Structure formats: structure tokens, C-alpha cells
Amino acid sequence: MKSAVTLATGSLLASVAHAQVVQWDIQKRDLAPKKGLRRRAASTYTEVITNEEARGGYFATVSVGTPAQNLTLQLDTGSSDIWVPSSQSSVCEKSASRGGSSSSSSSDGCTFGSFNPDKSSSYTVVGQGDFSIAYVDGSHSKGDYFTDVFEIGGAKLSNMTMGLGEDTDIPYGLVGVGYAINEAIVGTEQSLSAAYDNLPVLMQNEGLIATNAYSLWLNDLDASTGSILFGGIDTEKYEGDLSRLDIIKDEQTNSFSSFIVYLTSVTANSSSGSDTLSSREFPIPVVLDSGTTLSYLPTDIAAQVWTEVGAIYSSEVDSAIVPCSMASSKGQFTFGFGGDNGPKISVGMDELVLSLVTSGSNPTFRSGQYAGKEACQFGIQNFSSDPFLLGDTFLRSAYVVYDLVNNQIGIAKTDFNSTTSNVVAFASDGAQMPSATAVANQVTATGSAGTFATPTYGAMKGFTEANAAVSVPVFQWAQLGVMGATTLFMLIGSGFFLL
Ligand SMILES: *[C@@H]1O[C@H](CO)[C@@H](O)[C@H](O)[C@H]1NC(C)=O
Ligand SMILES: *[C@@H]1O[C@H](CO)[C@@H](O)[C@H](O)[C@H]1NC(C)=O
Ligand SMILES: *[C@@H]1O[C@H](CO)[C@@H](O)[C@H](O)[C@H]1NC(C)=O
Ligand SMILES: *[C@@H]1O[C@H](CO)[C@@H](O)[C@H](O)[C@H]1NC(C)=O
Ligand SMILES: *[C@@H]1O[C@H](CO)[C@@H](O)[C@H](O)[C@H]1NC(C)=O
């Protein structure tokens, strides 16, 4: 989910699908304080995050209030508030089972948990009616700002400011860990001074972590958990070296408000060849947004990606789709950042083909060269204006460090399914990211616009040979019917952040 001060940028709101209750572990790792530091001990906190494929997001278990009430919230680098659904909201009171089995508890509709303020002795309202987030598709969350005890990954904050979703249609809350300037209240009040200390800021102020920085390891699409590590990096969760990129300021506010970096190259590579894809929009500003399920690139380059893999843009579902069998294609796309010297992250097709349904079988193509095959959602979609978004379909292949003090992103190729750990804490407030090398001569401004050239599609054969049909027409989007389009609409459920 993406939030911004004055920008209206795109985001996919995870759809309201069938919930499952899952248990999460919480791990805590305390490091011995480094010698010679004048300040408080630098620790790190690890929270296991669970990949909820059905909801299209990563969820962490936290607790709120006194006594503690457990809730599972979506982790979001694209927004900056924590908000919890109120157990008195109609979405939580609604019975989850249609037709309503009577003896259900009052929070049946919110299977990930809801918060009952009446049952917390430490609950204090600090901004009546001040919390408000709305989405173009009509979903929203509104209510009071309050303070209460908040616990995540073993880190306990006694006075955390949060939003209470009293009027909401989203049956679970969020943990937004972005810049404080991107809090909903800053947009509502149109004033930077309305910003409060959000989670990572407060963790630093309370001395739980040395600096406002954290690392995100989403892990494989097929793996059930990843982790967020506050205050440090884990050198065992990536391959090669971490490259340090400067975050790009938001143009309209001239401030660091979201995690924007410049995407400067995309190549397609398979057994049959390699293609350098082009875009008039290079260098492309992209937001690294864990709260967005798919990735969104300019239409000119997205169309080349689709041609490589034989994806079909279906206007019926407003989305690029592929046969599910493409998940076994051996081709990959490599994303380069910050210019020629910058990091390159490869994303395999197994990370780019997502089921369209939460249970049961996917819809099938009704006609055309894929007739009878199961249809899946493709992980790279198109979008018409910047900033563009690299969501979970990209982020799973990368280990990403977010340093909100130096305004830098550390990025390296992920180590999927790593079972070892070597946590290194940031040494002090504003310390440089450990074990990371700055990208030399990096692209930090939109210079001359990119040029467009149709690639020769030498990699296409290698991408699509997994499928019987290889003759996908270039730049001709066949009008293919998809069965169950209504279901697709519901599941894709995209929306844009308003303010
Ligand atoms: C909340 O979760 C913790 C840790 O899993 C558990 O010990 C505790 O009993 C739970 N509390 C409630 C009210 O369910
Ligand atoms: C808790 O936080 C609120 C909002 O930032 C502040 O007004 C209040 O003074 C704080 N309370 C304590 C006990 O620190
Ligand atoms: C990671 O683990 C998952 C679940 O066990 C498995 O399906 C997947 O293939 C593994 N990925 C890699 C790259 O080993
Ligand atoms: C391209 O893919 C082939 C296998 O399909 C691999 O051996 C080669 O290293 C890849 N090249 C790049 C630049 O990723
Ligand atoms: C995405 O591409 C399709 C096919 O070219 C086009 O019809 C659609 O308008 C594009 N969507 C956006 C948001 O640009």
C-alpha cells in the first residue's frame, strides 16, 4: 500500500479474500553492545513475516494494549502509519461465514485479529477523528489516532501512536514503516509538523535500535516466511555485496518521503539469447513497496517484457496474464539500478507467475493459442505515470536495507531459503550501512530521456519453449476471453491511493 503527502500514486490494495489463521513465531536477537560507543546499546530486533499468498502480502504478528491483544498486520514500506481494525467496526463484526452461524465471536470478520480499545487500560485517544486513509476503489480506514503499548519482534514500545480503523472495509491493519513525513496525518493536515514518531523513529528514540534503519528479506514465493530486521543487516541472507544507492527525493515535496530509486536497465535472458529492453522513461523512478503485490513499469517496457514471455494483456481483467505453466520457464529478467556501476538483481519466472485464486483451480483461457490452459497473473504489469512500483514480485529476489537517516537503500541478490544468520547492527545514529559499498557515479537525476528501440526478442524462444504455443504475435494483444472474469476482478482488486 502506497501513501504519499501530495502524490496520488498507485498501489494494489490486497484484496479481501478468504482468510486463514496461521501461527507466527517471534524471534528476538540482542547483540552485545559495541565497545567504545558513547550512546545506548545498539540492538536489533527480528520479526518473522509470513507470506500470505492469498492476500498478496507479508504479515507480522504484533500485540497492542494492556493486557496485550494479538493482531496480525500487513507489513508495508509504502506507508508510514500503524493502524488496527477496531473490533467494533462493522467489517470485524460481520460474520465471516456467509449466512452467519450464530454463536460466533464479535470479531469474526477480522480473522487476523482486531483491537478492542475498551479492553486496554493503557489506551489513550490523541487525535479524535484525525486518522483517515482512502483508496480510489472505495476502500478506506478512518477513526481516531491513539497511543498504547505496541510490541513487535520482542521490541516493546509503551507509547506508540496508531490509527484505529473504526470505519473501514479492510479486515486487517497495517504496520507502515516508511518515512514519518508520509504519515496520513501529514496529508490530512497538509503540515509537516503534524508528523509524529512512527515505529522505526520511536524504536530509535527509545534506544531499542541505534539508527532508523531496517532490512527486509521476503524470501521465495514458495516459502512461507521471511523477516524484517530492525536496526541491522543479516549478511547470511544475501549473495555477493550490498550496494548502496541514494534514495531519490519526491519531486513535488522536494523531500525524502518514499523509497524511490532509479531503475536504469532491464534485460531479458534465456537459453536462446539476451535482450536489452528499452523505455522512453529511463531512468525510471521506482518505489520499493513491500505493500504492493505486483510490479508496475511504464507501458513501453512492460509490453516488451510481456512479449518475451508470451503474456497477454486482457482488457477484460485489466491485467497481463500468462499460462500458469510459464512458472517453470527458465528465463529471467535482470533489473539494474543507479547506472552502469549499480547493482543488478535477476528475477526468475518462478517468482513472476502468481495464482489468480486463493483456492480451487485458476480460470482457463477460453480461446486463442492458450485455449484450455490455466491462466495466471503475471508479476510485471504496466502503469501510466511515475513513480512506478517494484512490489513483492521483484522484492522477493532482493535483500533490501532501508536507511532512513542517510536516505540510502542497500540492495543485493537474495539468498533464498537461507537458514543461517549473521546479524550486524548499525553502530550508531547515522552510521553508514555495514558491509555495503556505495555505487560509484550513480544516476541520481533524470537526465536525457531514454530512447525506444524494439528489441530483437532473441530471448523469447527460450522463455516460451516450456509452452506448446510459441508463436505469440509481437505487439498484438489478442482479444482472449478468460472464464471467471468477475472472480478475477475481485481478486485483482486494484486501487489507487487518494489521500
Ligand atoms: C498472544 O501471543 C502470545 C505469543 O504467541 C501468547 O503467548 C499469548 O497467549 C497470546 N495472547 C492472547 C490473548 O491470545
Ligand atoms: C505519548 O505520546 C503522545 C503523542 O506523541 C504524547 O502526547 C504523550 O505525551 C506521550 N505520553 C507519554 C507518557 O510519554
Ligand atoms: C525454498 O523453499 C520452498 C519451500 O520449501 C521451495 O518450494 C523452494 O523451491 C525453495 N527455493 C529455492 C530457491 O531453493
Ligand atoms: C543467461 O541465462 C543463462 C541460462 O539461461 C545463464 O547461463 C547466463 O548466465 C545468463 N546470463 C546473464 C547475463 O544473466
Ligand atoms: C496497459 O497496457 C494496455 C495494453 O497496451 C493498455 O490498454 C492499458 O491502458 C495500459 N494501462 C495503463 C495503466 O497504462
Side-chain angles (χ1 to χ4, degrees), residues 219-224 350-351 415-418:
N219 205 3
D220 202 326
L221 177 59
D222 293 325
S224 57
D350 52 338
E351 300 291 332
D415 187 352
F416 284 126
N417 294 345
S418 162

Side-chain angles (χ1 to χ4, degrees), residues 99-230:
S101 58
S102 51
S103 65
S104 48
S105 86
S106 64
S107 56
D108 231 354
C110 294
T111 47
F112 279 13
S114 60
F115 180 65
N116 185 343
D118 297 341
K119 290 191 176 156
S120 174
S121 61
S122 43
Y123 170 82
T124 311
V125 174
V126 291
Q128 201 158 15
D130 285 348
F131 172 67
S132 178
I133 279 183
Y135 302 89
V136 167
D137 69 352
S139 59
H140 62 274
S141 181
K142 288 180 187 167
D144 300 336
Y145 270 111
F146 70 100
T147 59
D148 209 331
V149 181
F150 180 83
E151 204 168 335
I152 183 166
K156 190 170 183 175
L157 298 148
S158 57
N159 190 31
M160 183 74 238
T161 303
M162 293 168 265
L164 183 66
E166 293 167 283
D167 170 4
T168 180
D169 46 9
I170 311 169
Y172 50 83
L174 268 95
V175 181
V177 289
Y179 284 103
I181 203 178
N182 204 14
E183 289 161 4
I185 186 72
V186 175
T188 307
E189 305 264 301
Q190 290 290 307
S191 159
L192 297 182
S193 60
Y196 61 89
D197 290 349
N198 72 349
L199 179 65
V201 175
L202 196 58
M203 284 178 83
Q204 181 186 1
N205 289 353
E206 303 259 306
L208 297 171
I209 54 177
T211 195
N212 183 354
Y214 47 84
S215 306
L216 210 53
W217 180 62
L218 298 187
N219 205 3
D220 202 326
L221 177 59
D222 293 325
S224 57
T225 59
S227 62
I228 182 166
L229 171 67
F230 292 97

Side-chain angles (χ1 to χ4, degrees), residues 312-317 321 363-373 375 477-485 488:
I312 303 291
Y313 184 84
S314 164
S315 47
E316 202 176 349
V317 295
I321 51 178
T364 49
F365 288 92
R366 208 188 301 142
S367 57
Q369 73 267 46
Y370 298 140
K373 285 178 182 273
W477 309 109
Q479 289 299 306
L480 296 184
V482 180
M483 296 199 301
L488 294 190

Side-chain angles (χ1 to χ4, degrees), residues 263-312:
L263 175 67
T264 47
S265 69
V266 178
T267 57
N269 180 37
S270 78
S271 56
S272 67
S274 178
D275 297 304
T276 299
L277 308 186
S278 68
S279 174
R280 290 181 191 89
E281 312 275 344
F282 275 133
I284 304 171
V286 286
V287 182
L288 304 177
D289 184 0
S290 75
T292 293
T293 313
L294 306 175
S295 296
Y296 296 82
L297 294 179
T299 299
D300 63 356
I301 195 163
Q304 295 163 58
V305 171
W306 300 339
T307 299
E308 293 282 6
V309 305
I312 303 291

Side-chain angles (χ1 to χ4, degrees), residues 10-79:
S11 82
L12 258 203
L13 180 64
S15 58
V16 178
H18 312 284
Q20 304 157 289
V21 179
V22 189
Q23 287 293 110
W24 283 264
D25 299 313
I26 289 174
Q27 282 177 282
K28 180 184 177 219
R29 289 205 181 84
D30 286 317
L31 287 185
K34 288 218 157 121
K35 260 199 294 186
L37 281 184
R38 34 190 197 359
R39 304 254 237 132
R40 291 173 284 203
S43 291
T44 60
Y45 292 85
T46 303
E47 166 75 20
V48 172
I49 49 177
T50 299
N51 179 11
E52 284 294 318
E53 265 192 85
R55 290 189 183 233
Y58 284 79
F59 286 75
T61 293
V62 306
S63 74
V64 181
T66 313
Q69 300 179 34
N70 292 345
L71 290 104
T72 297
L73 308 177
Q74 185 175 10
L75 181 73
D76 187 16
T77 57
S79 69

Side-chain angles (χ1 to χ4, degrees), residues 34 211 213 215 231-235 238 241-244 401 403 410 423-427 431-437:
K34 288 218 157 121
T211 195
S215 306
I233 66 165
D234 186 340
T235 63
Y238 58 86
D241 292 325
L242 271 178
S243 295
R244 234 164 53 214
V401 187
D403 176 350
V423 173
V424 182
F426 278 74
Q432 282 294 352
M433 197 179 294
S435 309
T437 314

